[in-house]
Amino acid sequence: QIFNQHNAEAPNLEQAFHRMAQMEPNLDHDVSWFLLPSYWAKMVVALISFLCFANSYDGDFVFDDSEAIINNKDLRAETPLGDLWYHDFWGSKLSSNTSHKSYRPLTVLTFRINYLFAGGFYPVGFHVINIILHCTISVLMIDVFSILLGGLQFSNKGRRLNLAPKSSLLAALLFAVHPVHTECVAGIVGRADLLCALFFLLSFLGYCKAFRENKEGHTFSVFWVLVSVVLGAIAMLCKEQGITILGLNAVFDALVISKINLLELIRKLLYKDKALESAGLLRKGLLFRITLLMCGGAGILYIRWRIMGTGPPAFTEVDNPASFADSLFVRAINYNYYYSLNAWLLLCPWWLCFDWSMGCIPLIKSVSDWRIIALAALWFCLIGLICQALCSEDSHKRRILTLGLGFLIIPFLPASNLFFRVGFVVAERVIYLPSIGYCILFTYGFSLLSKQAKKKKILAVAVLGILLINVMRCALRSSQWRSEEQLFRSALSVCPLNAKVHYNVGKNLADKGNQSAAIKYYREAVRLNPKYVHAMNNLGNILKERNELHEAEELLSLAVQIQPDFAAAWMNLGIVQNSLRRFEEAEQSYWTAIKHRKKYPDCYYNLGRLYADLNRHIDALNAWRNATVLKPEHSLAWNNMIILLDNTGNLAQAEAVGREALELIPNDHSLMFSLANVLGKSQKYKESEALFLKAIKANPNAASYHGNLAVLYHRWGNLDLAKKHYEVSLKLDPMAPGTKENYNLLRRKLEQLQKKGG
């Protein structure tokens, strides 16, 4: 449907349009920069944005990728597609108290498609899609910046004109190579921001497509306005920030399409000026379009609210300490300081960190703190820009500054703590969209400097130098995102006071088996944050394995005292107490862990081991059975059931459990070995032999496998084969218990047979 607003001088509209286009100030006039045809400009931007992040294509899954992708059941085929609409970004139910309420089903759907086509968790495909998305967004930026910097005007044939080709190319290049974008591109979880940005821009371009100027007058299409709303909804289903495009479309409509002077409008509203009617808001259809945007936004938010429920996400003080401060003054000061840090990351993206929480940015608690200067500088600059945007007599300047500030501030609002508490202090990923506004302001500032500069080429070389430095910084930073070790260590110099950085370095070292080095970093994490229960739990776990039980018990006891519902710490405390032979306390700790985490198969497994040590065989079997019900692939629980039943003479039951386990985990050689022992005792020699041989094929260097197969052959009367496997077992483990004695018995028997035969 097309709405037409006829002008009384419609026949002369085209001529007037051309005169107006020539009279309006042209940003490119003062910009000493390259002028390329549109096609080549897009090719250059695509190529440079690709070069910045190409070296991340074969990186690992790092940091949050583990939870969002590897441990996310929503990616697997057995999870119904419909569940994605009721789960959060991490695969938890939105109704759960532990859910972060990050509702991004379309992003998770793309992860699932990646997983399906790759045939598993292979990170290359995930990384390649992220790089392609950033390149696509950077190319789209040329069209977006051409409108934001040059205005929305059309030729007499209805084609949109690019009135700022040099400026839009510069702004797009600034966006493409900005190092703060590395987290979104090189970190797979950043796909949420990339997809959101893609549909955010498409929504904006769709809204621009709604408008046409022709000989009959000014027209707009309701269809394209609605398409823009739908694309905004899709952006929000990729990440929450996407909804802000509807507000930006309204701002763009008011400033560029309806050419409203905000300061003049405010004055008329304050003085209740009847001249408001002459503003032409109704005649130009602005109120109608804004009503469509508002209704669309309200409908989207209502549907989201119905799906998510009203409960806010559960964040802790370590996630966002300022939001837990009792004083309103402290909260306000620190929020503003965080804004200044985000602004600094846009201006000077050299100190980048994967996580800015846990002491990385200490709270400002008094006005004597020198960091107050940073937020004062931020507001000095913002107020200056706002005054220029409102009060300048140059309409061109007013439009660009207002749009620049709009794109800088509005997409940042969901991360600002103004409307709800967020789960971070500073996050580089949330600056992806606001950086559009920064690029507008930078480019406009460059044009003003060029206008005043006598040697414009020197200024152009300086900007080119900034771009080259950013390209190198992107390449360096994206290489740090290739592995967790590089990523975590890169943060030590940026945030040495961040306990989580030390924790992650320690965890990475522990996963690689370097426990001594891991202990050092875990201790530092606990020193920096004495309430860091996860560091206490992991440190206690390592000390437990090193048999330093008393210190491990102290740490784990403190962890559960600080966080009474920390199930993993309760279980580890139970293991330590069991090792110290304090069985009643251990049992109580295990049951406390299960109370706080109902589905906890590992805890049931350890509880079963405790009961087995106490000769409470039925309780042990029940605990292990619970573990296998909750986790059917729990090999250790199945094995312990088979061995306990075997040792207590319940061979038939042991055989039944062993067969059930192998049906569920058919390639587990330890289960084959345990069942083979049971079948051997039941004199089912042929079947037992087949399982032993299969287990040995899967794990040929297990001395016990060869030794027990030798015992089977010994009983069965296959003495030569028994001798062969005894010898292999002793070669693999000369100290294997019982094997040497059995081998000597066999040799004596063979000698006796030889004498009789002789």
Side-chain angles (χ1 to χ4, degrees):
Q1 184 182 359
I2 302 292
F3 283 73
N4 294 300
Q5 284 78 39
H6 292 282
N7 194 313
E9 299 179 8
N12 298 320
L13 180 65
E14 189 173 354
Q15 295 175 5
F17 162 76
H18 285 297
R19 285 197 302 271
M20 189 170 61
Q22 290 170 358
M23 290 171 61
E24 186 164 339
N26 191 334
L27 195 65
D28 273 15
H29 182 267
D30 300 312
V31 173
S32 178
W33 195 247
F34 305 104
L35 178 60
L36 295 174
S38 178
Y39 177 81
W40 282 105
K42 291 179 179 180
M43 289 289 287
V44 167
V45 170
L47 178 62
I48 291 177
S49 61
F50 174 77
L51 290 175
C52 285
F53 303 103
N55 63 347
S56 68
Y57 88 97
D58 60 347
D60 299 330
F61 291 112
V62 298
F63 195 39
D64 287 338
D65 295 345
S66 297
E67 287 303 312
I69 297 170
I70 297 173
N71 299 330
N72 191 343
K73 292 182 179 178
D74 286 345
L75 269 66
R76 296 180 172 88
E78 57 266 25
T79 303
L81 274 174
D83 286 5
L84 270 62
W85 299 95
Y86 299 97
H87 291 177
D88 67 16
F89 187 53
W90 314 96
S92 301
K93 289 184 177 179
L94 284 165
S95 57
S96 169
N97 293 331
T98 59
S99 172
H100 281 198
K101 307 295 184 181
S102 45
Y103 185 59
R104 305 163 192 172
L106 295 184
T107 303
V108 178
L109 180 62
T110 67
F111 289 153
R112 182 164 172 150
I113 293 169
N114 258 129
Y115 173 80
L116 176 67
F117 279 100
F121 292 112
Y122 302 104
V124 171
F126 290 85
H127 281 295
V128 168
I129 295 298
N130 274 27
I131 295 169
I132 291 171
L133 281 170
H134 178 66
C135 293
T136 304
I137 291 162
S138 299
V139 168
L140 280 176
M141 282 296 174
I142 292 180
D143 291 327
V144 171
F145 285 130
S146 73
I147 296 169
L148 296 174
L149 295 168
L152 185 65
Q153 294 185 18
F154 300 88
S155 70
N156 55 359
K157 294 181 179 179
R159 294 184 62 182
R160 185 177 58 79
L161 298 171
N162 184 352
L163 299 177
K166 291 193 287 185
S167 301
S168 59
L169 173 59
L170 172 59
L173 284 171
L174 282 166
F175 180 88
V177 305
H178 205 297
V180 84
H181 297 160
T182 312
E183 180 176 351
C184 295
V185 184
I188 298 170
V189 167
R191 179 161 322 161
D193 299 89
L194 296 173
L195 286 170
C196 173
L198 177 64
F199 289 103
F200 181 98
L201 298 181
L202 291 175
S203 175
F204 175 75
L205 292 172
Y207 196 77
C208 293
K209 199 173 178 64
F211 300 95
R212 287 287 183 273
E213 284 191 1
N214 53 35
K215 292 180 180 180
E216 284 74 35
H218 189 85
T219 67
F220 73 93
S221 164
V222 173
F223 171 78
W224 279 107
V225 174
L226 294 176
V227 166
S228 175
V229 172
V230 171
L231 289 168
I234 294 172
M236 192 191 70
L237 291 174
C238 296
K239 192 175 181 182
E240 296 75 9
Q241 279 177 297
I243 191 68
T244 59
I245 187 56
L246 301 183
L248 282 166
N249 284 342
V251 171
F252 174 80
D253 195 340
L255 294 176
V256 179
I257 306 301
S258 300
K259 294 182 171 58
I260 290 175
N261 184 324
L262 289 178
L263 185 62
E264 184 183 336
L265 182 64
I266 292 167
R267 284 173 180 166
K268 288 179 177 180
L269 286 170
L270 288 174
Y271 294 104
K272 298 180 181 179
D273 194 335
K274 292 182 180 180
L276 263 176
E277 295 174 6
S278 65
L281 299 185
L282 290 172
R283 182 172 55 80
K284 293 179 181 178
L286 174 62
L287 290 180
F288 176 72
R289 294 191 296 273
I290 288 180
T291 301
L292 283 180
L293 291 172
M294 289 178 64
C295 290
I300 293 165
L301 290 173
Y302 175 74
I303 294 168
R304 181 187 172 94
W305 172 75
R306 291 287 296 177
I307 294 170
M308 288 179 55
T310 56
F315 295 121
T316 61
E317 187 174 351
V318 295
D319 297 318
N320 186 356
S323 67
F324 285 85
D326 294 329
S327 167
L328 177 63
F329 170 78
V330 172
R331 288 202 301 274
I333 288 291
N334 282 280
Y335 288 160
N336 279 275
Y337 181 60
Y338 297 161
Y339 306 155
S340 69
L341 287 175
N342 280 283
W344 181 248
L345 287 175
L346 286 172
L347 289 169
C348 183
W350 198 256
W351 292 276
L352 300 175
C353 185
F354 72 93
D355 188 277
W356 293 83
S357 64
M358 286 204 183
C360 188
I361 305 170
L363 285 178
I364 297 173
K365 295 183 179 178
S366 83
V367 290
S368 61
D369 194 311
W370 67 269
R371 290 176 292 170
I372 293 284
I373 297 169
L375 60 99
L378 171 70
W379 280 106
F380 177 79
C381 294
L382 280 178
I383 291 170
L385 287 170
I386 290 168
C387 289
Q388 287 291 310
L390 291 175
C391 305
S392 175
E393 294 181 1
D394 183 348
S395 62
H396 187 65
K397 183 177 184 179
R398 287 201 309 270
R399 188 193 75 219
I400 291 178
L401 287 179
T402 308
L403 289 174
L405 288 168
F407 273 83
L408 181 71
I409 295 168
I410 293 174
F412 184 75
L413 289 176
S416 65
N417 286 290
L418 289 176
F419 305 110
F420 45 80
R421 177 186 291 157
V422 298
F424 51 84
V425 177
V426 172
E428 292 158 23
R429 59 188 176 275
V430 303
I431 315 177
Y432 194 84
L433 283 173
S435 66
I436 299 172
Y438 160 78
C439 294
I440 294 171
L441 296 174
F442 183 101
T443 304
Y444 186 65
F446 174 63
S447 75
L448 293 179
L449 285 174
S450 296
K451 190 174 184 179
Q452 301 296 325
K454 293 180 179 178
K455 296 183 179 180
K456 296 185 178 183
K457 288 185 178 179
I458 294 176
L459 192 60
V461 169
V463 172
L464 188 61
I466 292 171
L467 290 174
L468 289 173
I469 290 169
N470 280 358
V471 169
M472 290 187 287
R473 181 67 180 126
C474 284
L476 173 64
R477 185 61 180 156
S478 60
S479 70
Q480 292 172 341
W481 273 87
R482 285 164 55 86
S483 71
E484 286 195 332
E485 181 180 5
Q486 293 180 76
L487 179 65
F488 297 155
R489 287 190 178 278
S490 71
L492 288 172
S493 59
V494 180
C495 281
L497 300 179
N498 188 336
K500 188 183 271 190
V501 169
H502 292 273
Y503 167 82
N504 279 296
V505 173
K507 187 173 183 298
N508 184 257
L509 289 165
D511 291 343
K512 292 181 177 180
N514 191 349
Q515 291 188 338
S516 300
I519 287 172
K520 170 190 164 188
Y521 285 100
Y522 281 143
R523 288 194 191 283
E524 181 64 9
V526 174
R527 186 190 72 79
L528 290 169
N529 185 351
K531 293 184 178 181
Y532 198 173
V533 292
H534 293 284
M536 292 177 192
N537 177 58
N538 285 19
L539 178 56
N541 223 356
I542 291 179
L543 294 173
K544 172 194 74 182
E545 291 172 12
R546 293 163 71 96
N547 211 33
E548 298 176 33
L549 298 176
H550 292 289
E551 187 182 358
E553 184 183 23
E554 287 177 15
L555 280 164
L556 293 165
S557 297
L558 181 58
V560 297
Q561 185 180 336
I562 295 168
Q563 186 177 326
D565 64 347
F566 192 3
W570 278 113
M571 182 188 76
N572 288 324
L573 178 60
I575 295 170
V576 171
Q577 291 166 335
N578 192 9
S579 300
L580 291 168
R581 305 191 68 76
R582 298 214 301 274
F583 300 121
E584 288 185 11
E585 292 177 43
E587 182 182 8
Q588 185 62 41
S589 294
Y590 287 141
W591 281 115
T592 306
I594 291 167
K595 171 189 169 186
H596 293 300
R597 189 190 297 178
K598 307 293 185 203
K599 297 178 180 180
Y600 204 173
D602 288 342
C603 195
Y604 276 112
Y605 165 74
N606 284 299
L607 180 62
R609 288 184 60 187
L610 168 66
Y611 288 145
D613 291 342
L614 296 173
N615 292 320
R616 292 166 59 178
H617 295 157
I618 293 174
D619 289 335
L621 289 169
N622 286 335
W624 289 328
R625 175 57 74 175
N626 281 333
T628 60
V629 167
L630 293 171
K631 186 179 176 182
E633 67 277 13
H634 204 305
S635 174
L636 290 171
W638 285 113
N639 251 316
N640 281 15
M641 276 196 282
I642 298 165
I643 292 166
L644 180 59
L645 290 167
D646 181 2
N647 291 341
T648 54
N650 296 307
L651 295 180
Q653 197 175 349
E655 181 182 340
V657 170
R659 292 187 188 280
E660 183 184 354
L662 272 178
E663 281 184 17
L664 292 166
I665 323 171
N667 298 317
D668 191 303
H669 55 81
S670 62
L671 288 175
M672 296 174 197
F673 173 70
S674 298
L675 181 55
N677 285 326
V678 172
L679 293 169
K681 289 180 183 179
S682 302
Q683 297 185 349
K684 297 180 179 180
Y685 297 130
K686 196 71 181 171
E687 200 174 353
S688 176
E689 176 196 28
L691 279 173
F692 272 129
L693 291 172
K694 198 173 178 183
I696 288 168
K697 184 178 179 183
N699 189 14
N701 295 321
S704 59
Y705 290 12
H706 290 279
N708 284 29
L709 177 57
V711 171
L712 175 74
Y713 284 136
H714 199 156
R715 289 179 184 165
W716 199 358
N718 294 337
L719 303 185
D720 291 333
L721 285 172
K723 181 173 180 292
K724 172 190 168 186
H725 284 280
Y726 276 136
E727 289 171 351
V728 173
S729 178
L730 288 168
K731 186 177 180 182
L732 291 168
D733 183 8
M735 307 302 293
T739 303
K740 198 163 189 178
E741 291 80 359
N742 288 335
Y743 180 54
N744 289 332
L745 285 172
L746 177 64
R747 286 181 62 185
R748 285 197 291 273
K749 188 171 183 179
L750 286 170
E751 287 171 5
Q752 289 171 3
L753 289 172
Q754 282 178 354
K755 286 177 183 178
K756 286 180 182 178

